[in-house]
Amino acid sequence: EQEQTTEKPLNAAKYSKDIFAMDTYMSITAYGEKSEEAVEAAARLIDEIENKMSTKIETSEIAQLNANGKGIVSKATAYLIQRSRELYLDTLGAFDITIYPVVKIWGFTTGEYQIPSADVLQSTVRKMGMEALSLEEEKKEVTFLKKDMEIDLGGIAKGYTSARIIDLFHEYGI
């Protein structure tokens, strides 16, 4: 006997938007009565998160932390820094947001790729280590305890953003 499956047709409107943010091309599509509102709200959310967490936007919380070695951050940024610390411990240091100085010397931030010398790489690696990042959770105050330490949330911010978009879509009945 042949098994039959039926799918409910999508009677609701479809709305899509292509976005370039967080160094990534994204296509957001929603189906539902409020699909356009939901996608536009998602685009604003992506922009909001990028403006807080980008290393490339000079006014972002992360760029300011990297420039000043300390600062007060938003609840979302503090959460991702704390979650990054947990992942750092869970992966025995394999996931480390303090990698940014190393990323820079390889040229990934400028597109001027190069292989750093062993000496340069070794001295740059000394700037890393989550144990040298202080987060006072109540005040949301971050302090770097090593000179020239810098962070990059690029390895965690996109997943966080996706989860926030899913929550947002639920709010819109998507």
Side-chain angles (χ1 to χ4, degrees), residues 155-171:
I156 194 170
K158 291 176 186 109
Y160 169 78
T161 303
S162 297
R164 293 278 315 273
I165 289 171
I166 290 168
D167 293 341
L168 181 74
F169 276 13
H170 285 283
E171 291 173 25

Side-chain angles (χ1 to χ4, degrees), residues 17-29:
K17 185 169 192 164
D18 294 327
I19 298 169
F20 182 80
M22 302 178 177
D23 287 331
T24 303
Y25 288 100
M26 302 177 211
S27 183
I28 304 171
T29 301

Side-chain angles (χ1 to χ4, degrees), residues 73-99:
V73 296
S74 64
K75 181 179 177 182
T77 301
Y79 167 76
L80 284 186
I81 290 171
Q82 180 55 38
R83 185 68 183 115
S84 294
R85 182 185 312 280
E86 293 166 7
L87 291 169
Y88 175 80
L89 295 171
D90 289 348
T91 62
L92 303 177
F95 181 82
D96 188 348
I97 61 172
T98 68
I99 189 85

Side-chain angles (χ1 to χ4, degrees), residues 80-128:
L80 284 186
I81 290 171
Q82 180 55 38
R83 185 68 183 115
S84 294
R85 182 185 312 280
E86 293 166 7
L87 291 169
Y88 175 80
L89 295 171
D90 289 348
T91 62
L92 303 177
F95 181 82
D96 188 348
I97 61 172
T98 68
I99 189 85
Y100 195 58
V102 174
V103 170
K104 286 172 46 176
I105 65 166
W106 280 83
F108 289 110
T109 59
T110 62
E112 296 174 19
Y113 306 109
Q114 61 182 340
I115 299 172
S117 71
D119 290 342
V120 169
L121 186 57
Q122 190 173 32
S123 67
T124 305
V125 167
R126 288 190 195 114
K127 300 173 186 178
M128 293 177 56

